[in-house]
Amino acid sequence: MIKFRISHRTTYRYGKLVSLRPHRLMLRPRESRELRLLSMELSVKPHAFVTWAQDVAGNMVATATFQSMAERLIIDSVAELELDAVAWPVFDVAASAIFYPFRYSDDEWTDLGALAIPQHPDPTRRLREWVQAFVRSNPTDTLSLLKDINAGILAWVSYQGRDEEGTQSPVQTLERGWGSCRDLAVLFIEAVRTLGFGARIVSGYLHNPAQDIVGSDGAGTTHAWAEVYLSGAGWITFDPTNRSVGGVNLIPVAVGRDIRQVTPVAGSFVGMSDAFLGMSVEVPVVS
């Protein structure tokens, strides 16, 4: 079991006074059998009225409402956690899903809903043909297929960090041959959805005390990865950025159908068009 403290500071800078609109904050880690949240503190400057609610996916969402104008917005989140995830997990996949193709139960299919439906256009079938090449036999081992896709992405696409907002479409990532962690996660999710799997995007933190994991500039950083649902095993973690399976180095904060639903901080302001100067994010981790 690892106990550590994650500090997440987001700073927005403006050249002139602006009126801040409500901001949605998804910063509280999701507790599970493997992750225990010991404490969590959230502070916002300038002063904001903060309310909490759960969204449709069970994420804890804070909404910060402001009454004063500002030239700087600072959002600080400090969480103390215990993580007890094994490095090489064994997944108890139901007999009905061991081999692909398989069929989800009627209840599972209904509940997965849009999580099992591709979200991005693929008019030339570029993505479909790419992922279909991983299906080497019919039937084939389900977990091996998913692991091959997860590991195979970096054979086609190189990791490249991006600070700017937005995410590439899966086809764009394949054609450009590079992408950030969120681009690789979206590519993986769309690829497995094309094959009929239920999958969702996850945002959170990458815990990297040895500073030897792709996608991290230090002991910790914000990160994005994927989860795929398999009968019996439930939601299984896949991180295509690091070709890893399981959540030994990952701290989930939010899950959703689309990457836009799990952004850590989202909001807007009213002011001059040239008022925005920039944004910075710091995520130090202390074990």
Side-chain angles (χ1 to χ4, degrees), residues 39-189:
S39 66
M40 196 266 187
E41 296 181 5
L42 176 67
S43 63
V44 182
K45 297 179 181 179
H47 174 74
F49 180 66
V50 178
T51 58
W52 289 87
Q54 277 189 307
D55 67 8
V56 68
N59 304 308
M60 291 301 301
V61 183
T63 301
T65 305
F66 304 88
Q67 295 183 339
S68 61
M69 301 183 74
E71 291 183 342
R72 179 168 299 196
L73 169 60
I74 301 175
I75 301 166
D76 275 315
S77 168
V78 179
E80 293 188 353
L81 313 162
E82 287 182 341
L83 183 64
D84 186 21
V86 297
W88 305 102
V90 176
F91 303 106
D92 189 17
V93 180
S96 62
I98 289 177
F99 295 103
Y100 175 86
F102 66 89
R103 185 180 184 278
Y104 288 114
S105 71
D106 290 343
D107 283 341
E108 288 173 329
W109 185 252
T110 299
D111 291 337
L112 287 170
L115 297 178
I117 300 174
Q119 305 289 310
H120 297 267
D122 185 23
T124 64
R125 299 176 62 87
R126 173 79 168 88
L127 178 63
R128 180 173 294 276
E129 291 176 0
W130 176 82
V131 72
Q132 195 65 45
F134 288 93
V135 185
R136 296 182 173 87
S137 63
N138 188 358
T140 191
D141 183 82
T142 300
L143 266 179
S144 295
L145 170 60
L146 291 169
K147 290 177 180 178
D148 286 348
I149 299 169
N150 185 59
I153 283 178
L154 286 182
W156 290 80
V157 180
S158 62
Y159 169 80
Q160 182 174 317
R162 286 194 300 113
D163 292 331
E164 63 267 24
E165 296 182 4
T167 304
Q168 298 173 174
S169 74
V171 173
Q172 283 178 320
T173 299
L174 282 177
E175 291 179 343
R176 292 176 178 176
W178 56 269
S180 66
C181 63
R182 60 188 183 274
D183 300 320
L184 304 188
V186 169
L187 170 59
F188 174 83
I189 290 169

